[in-house]
Amino acid sequence: MRPKEIEKNLEEHGGKPAACNTCSDKDCSAAKRKKGESDQDFADRQQLESRLCRIRRKIVILSGKGGVGKSTVAVNIAVALHMAGKRVGLLDIDIHGPSIPTMLGLDGKTLQGEANGLLPIDLDGLKVMSLGFLLPDPDQAVIWRGPMKNGVIKQFLKDVTWGDLDYLVIDSPPGTGDEPLSVCQLIGKLDGSVIVTTPQKVAAVDVRKSITFCRQLHVPVLGVVENMSGFACPKCGEITPIFSTGGGQRIASDMKVPFLGSIPMDVAIAMSGDNGLPFIDHNADSPTAKIMREIVRPLLALEPAAASATITEKIENKENTNMKIAIPLADGKLSAHFGHCERFTLIEVDPAEKKILKREDLEAPPHEPGLLPKWLAERGANLIIAGGMGQRAQNLFCEHGIEVVIGAPAETPENLVSSYLAGTLKSGENVCDH
Ligand code: ADP
């Protein structure tokens, strides 16, 4: 189903989409067809972007695995933002276990369609949309194969008519696989993610993976929430640690992302989830609700579009902030041994003019594991063009805010940078030859 404006646009252009006409911004990415994009893909993207551009802040809630309280946190964040007077949408796109209808007492609700798409359910002003509303029987297992899952996620994102919102809170499928990847890529410019974990040591690996996942997708991590952290006494509210606690805080500090807070295991949270009464609203005076409000406070202060543009986007958007591109050198050309090369060249460029401004050659630092990303970040590098590179090294560059292009040929730095700026750099396979 396409919105009227897209249909009109297609009609006016003989079935071929021209520009999105939901706003007058000529530089909007929805106004331009991407290279190789089919008519249908362009129309779909326009439809999705025309919906999402009316939402000021988009926050995705992630977790390394299921059952840690991701949906509980998503519901309570959305309700808290709504209680603070914001226009909020809550999107449950956890295709394996859409639990938000139950948590909000909306089981059995059916969706209303309108000419432009699907209307979210209105819960006292909070707009709620869940894949659960589309499943005929909540007890029936949903088996969708890989490509089908992505199709369902795309269709769902594109068809919901949110209208104008201050916040969209998205309950993503768990993990760091194809499903959360589709969600993040389809939504595009996310303002950030909240990563939910539990205090056990085994959860630490999942949190690191989720943080790295966000960095690779250039999604700012707004913070980590440690859920089920200690037990809140139902009588006096005192919190007793059960498992070791503080793991979430330690990882957040190690990986230089904010820690938003620890939510205890609270019988009232489980009960309100089962009874369809949002905890933070119906237990507003409890110590746990106070903790939740503290977690939401930085999200309320969030400025729209916190996402920083990548160098590729800066080139596309013609931003005139100079950038530095690092290239490992051997005999004056790109060296495939980026970790063991003797020299690096740093080329300063103007992405708006697609011009090389300056070249600086530097002796490489001593060969120590993990040192290079930090060393290049200190010298202002925004991007590294390399031959081959292992996943761990790529993650380290990501953590230091440096984009990575791999599989580039052994050419001179100037040739590589010029073709990168022109969008013609051929990056082949990741030949990690050491
Ligand atoms: P996920 O979305 O990660 O799969 P859910 O949010 O569905 O996890 O939570 C799983 C179960 O744990 C639900 O029954 C929920 O009510 C309960 N739960 C979540 N957080 C807490 C908590 N802090 N205290 C008590 N029960 C909780």
Side-chain angles (χ1 to χ4, degrees):
M1 208 183 311
R2 292 179 181 131
K4 274 187 211 133
E5 59 267 30
I6 303 281
E7 289 294 356
K8 188 165 161 267
N9 191 338
L10 283 169
E11 257 170 51
E12 282 170 2
H13 295 86
K16 293 195 190 323
C20 170
N21 42 16
T22 45
C23 71
S24 56
D25 181 2
K26 289 211 172 52
D27 291 328
C28 169
S29 56
K32 291 174 219 135
R33 186 194 289 258
K34 286 185 179 166
K35 243 188 181 169
E37 202 168 37
S38 69
D39 285 352
Q40 185 61 52
D41 287 347
F42 185 30
D44 285 351
R45 188 168 61 80
Q46 284 193 330
Q47 180 170 343
L48 179 65
E49 291 191 20
S50 66
R51 304 238 195 256
L52 296 179
C53 79
R54 295 175 64 183
I55 301 171
R56 298 184 72 210
R57 303 168 187 88
K58 300 167 206 88
I59 300 172
V60 65
I61 317 295
L62 298 170
S63 68
K65 57 175 184 290
V68 299
K70 175 178 53 59
S71 302
T72 304
V73 170
V75 163
N76 284 287
I77 288 179
V79 173
L81 291 168
H82 179 56
M83 287 168 77
K86 304 293 175 191
R87 294 169 302 173
V88 183
L90 173 60
L91 175 63
D92 174 14
I93 206 153
D94 187 345
I95 67 175
H96 298 292
S99 50
I100 282 179
T102 307
M103 289 184 174
L104 290 175
L106 298 173
D107 275 335
K109 290 267 176 198
T110 40
L111 292 174
Q112 301 293 315
E114 54 159 18
N116 280 353
L118 286 171
L119 274 174
I121 302 275
D122 191 312
L123 182 66
D124 301 327
L126 173 71
K127 293 187 176 178
V128 186
M129 180 51 88
S130 167
L131 273 173
F133 297 138
L134 299 176
L135 304 175
D137 176 1
D139 296 332
Q140 217 167 22
V142 187
I143 305 167
W144 275 318
R145 294 186 188 283
M148 240 159 110
K149 284 186 219 160
N150 292 347
V152 169
I153 292 173
K154 185 173 173 189
Q155 184 83 26
F156 196 52
L157 281 174
K158 161 172 100 57
D159 283 348
V160 185
T161 56
W162 296 104
D164 294 316
L165 291 180
D166 294 316
Y167 287 88
L168 180 65
V169 177
I170 303 142
D171 185 12
S172 156
T176 48
D178 285 349
E179 296 148 31
L181 181 70
S182 293
V183 172
C184 293
Q185 285 179 331
L186 283 165
I187 293 182
K189 279 215 177 68
L190 277 158
D191 291 81
S193 64
V194 171
I195 297 169
V196 183
T197 184
T198 49
Q200 294 92 328
K201 263 197 183 152
V202 283
V205 179
D206 293 322
V207 182
R208 283 183 201 280
K209 273 198 209 158
S210 298
I211 296 175
T212 304
F213 171 85
C214 290
R215 286 185 169 146
Q216 285 176 335
L217 295 174
H218 303 283
V219 175
V221 178
L222 301 173
V224 173
V225 171
E226 189 175 280
N227 187 32
M228 308 195 196
S229 179
F231 176 72
C233 170
K235 293 218 169 85
C236 66
E238 193 191 334
I239 296 167
T240 318
I242 304 178
F243 308 109
S244 57
T245 53
Q249 185 151 22
R250 254 190 318 278
I251 299 166
S253 124
D254 278 1
M255 294 197 74
K256 300 187 179 56
V257 299
F259 181 70
L260 295 174
S262 305
I263 303 173
M265 204 177 275
D266 189 322
V267 180
I269 294 185
M271 277 169 58
S272 58
D274 288 349
N275 297 334
L277 303 167
F279 174 83
I280 199 160
D281 187 9
H282 291 264
N283 301 267
D285 297 330
S286 70
T288 308
K290 189 166 172 250
I291 294 174
M292 285 185 180
R293 283 194 291 275
E294 285 306 309
I295 288 174
V296 174
R297 197 201 289 265
L299 309 182
L300 271 167
L302 196 66
E303 284 304 315
S308 62
T310 64
I311 187 166
T312 319
E313 283 166 347
K314 286 184 192 236
I315 294 170
E316 275 177 12
N317 300 341
K318 300 193 171 27
E319 279 188 28
N320 55 2
T321 344
N322 293 349
M323 317 281 300
K324 282 188 183 172
I325 302 179
I327 296 173
L329 287 184
D331 298 331
K333 294 189 174 169
L334 177 138
S335 155
H337 288 274
F338 91 92
H340 293 92
C341 74
E342 302 299 328
R343 297 176 76 72
F344 266 88
T345 192
L346 263 182
I347 297 199
E348 192 167 338
V349 299
D350 175 347
E353 297 296 323
K354 300 190 179 184
K355 244 174 49 189
I356 292 179
L357 301 173
K358 207 164 89 188
R359 169 177 172 159
E360 185 186 3
D361 283 14
L362 305 163
E363 289 294 322
H367 303 151
E368 272 176 43
L371 179 64
L372 257 173
K374 182 168 177 279
W375 184 81
L376 283 172
E378 282 166 1
R379 279 149 192 82
N382 309 95
L383 174 108
I384 176 166
I385 298 181
M389 192 184 292
Q391 188 59 49
R392 197 179 118 69
Q394 287 182 45
N395 292 348
L396 281 173
F397 278 107
C398 263
E399 281 169 24
H400 285 83
I402 300 175
E403 252 184 90
V404 178
V405 171
I406 45 177
E411 286 268 356
T412 63
E414 282 79 4
N415 279 352
L416 290 169
V417 170
S418 302
S419 38
Y420 179 77
L421 290 173
T424 55
L425 178 66
K426 286 209 171 50
S427 44
E429 279 190 27
N430 182 11
V431 246
C432 195
D433 65 351
H434 59 276

